[in-house]
């Protein structure tokens, strides 16, 4: 009887240990998990959320993302991030999402508007279920994008790689 009790508890014990892990995975990424690949002339490096946020002070913007998430987006200004990673003089920077979507920004375009590399939503890392872990957004265009008067072709979510040339 005792062995039957042990064998029936064993699967329940494992399930109780796995549930918190899967719940955490759905929420987002930990600050020490690599979330972004930088590629500069073929030299690649992986950065954690913590490393990205250490490149500049966090800036906060209350807005609605055109694809749904709404709240207080926090992150670092793209130009400060690129400068901290010796990419500020790149003539063209390519941003690649996890689904293969790509957008480009030239040096002139990066000077025209302030792009926010969003790392958090309402103070928490942005979960994959909320288009994270990283987004590139243009806070000054948020309302115009929602109204449809400005295209959102420079916005990217589920960002996983930045390449500078």
């Amino acid at each position: 009887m005792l062995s039957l009790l042990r064998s029936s508890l064993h699967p329940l014990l494992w399930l109780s240990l796995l549930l918190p892990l899967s719940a955490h995975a759905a929420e987002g990424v930990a600050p020490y998990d690599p979330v972004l690949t930088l590629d500069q002339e073929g030299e690649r490096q992986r950065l954690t959320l913590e490393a990205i946020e250490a490149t500049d002070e966090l800036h906060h913007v209350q807005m609605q993302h055109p694809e749904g998430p709404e709240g207080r987006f926090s992150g670092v200004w793209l130009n400060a991030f690129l400068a901290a990673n010796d990419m500020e003089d790149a003539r063209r920077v390519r941003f690649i999402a996890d689904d293969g979507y790509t957008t480009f920004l030239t040096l002139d375009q990066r000077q025209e508007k302030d792009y926010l590399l969003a790392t958090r939503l309402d103070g928490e890392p942005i979960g994959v279920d909320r288009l994270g872990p990283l987004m590139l957004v243009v806070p000054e265009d948020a309302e115009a994008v929602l109204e449809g008067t400005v295209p959102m072709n420079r916005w990217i979510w589920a960002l996983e790689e930045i390449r500078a040339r």
Side-chain angles (χ1 to χ4, degrees):
M1 177 71 146
L2 186 56
S3 66
L4 177 62
L5 183 59
R6 281 187 191 150
S7 65
S8 65
L9 285 179
H10 185 68
L12 292 175
L13 177 63
W14 280 110
L15 182 60
S16 69
L17 292 173
L18 291 176
L19 283 176
L21 292 175
S22 62
H24 178 70
E27 292 171 7
V29 290
Y32 50 82
D33 288 340
V35 294
L36 181 67
T37 300
L38 293 184
D39 183 330
Q40 186 172 19
E41 303 297 329
E43 188 176 318
R44 297 171 64 86
Q45 64 176 321
R46 298 272 295 147
L47 297 178
T48 64
L49 193 63
E50 185 177 63
I52 294 166
E53 293 178 340
T55 62
D56 190 22
E57 68 180 78
L58 283 185
H59 299 275
H60 312 284
V61 178
Q62 186 74 29
M63 64 177 217
Q64 179 173 353
H65 190 282
E67 293 296 320
E70 182 175 3
R72 183 177 179 225
F73 288 83
S74 302
V76 297
W77 292 119
L78 177 63
N79 286 338
F81 173 78
L82 293 175
N85 288 283
D86 298 322
M87 301 169 90
E88 69 270 23
D89 295 328
R91 290 177 294 124
R92 190 169 87 153
V93 179
R94 180 179 182 187
F95 302 88
I96 305 166
D98 71 354
D99 65 357
Y101 176 81
T102 297
T103 191
F104 295 89
L105 289 173
T106 65
L107 184 57
D108 288 342
Q109 290 168 325
R110 295 191 323 263
Q111 302 305 319
E112 291 172 6
K113 296 186 180 196
D114 290 324
Y115 292 83
L116 184 70
L117 183 56
T119 58
R120 296 180 180 271
L121 179 56
D122 295 328
E124 298 296 323
I126 305 171
V128 174
D129 60 329
R130 305 219 42 207
L131 309 177
L134 302 172
M135 296 180 182
L136 184 65
V137 299
V138 187
E140 70 184 77
D141 287 350
E143 287 185 35
V145 166
L146 288 173
E147 294 167 357
T149 58
V150 171
M152 60 184 231
N153 60 341
R154 302 285 184 234
W155 295 50
I156 189 167
W157 45 93
L159 178 62
E160 71 174 15
E161 186 172 345
I162 298 177
R163 293 183 187 166
R165 300 283 184 252

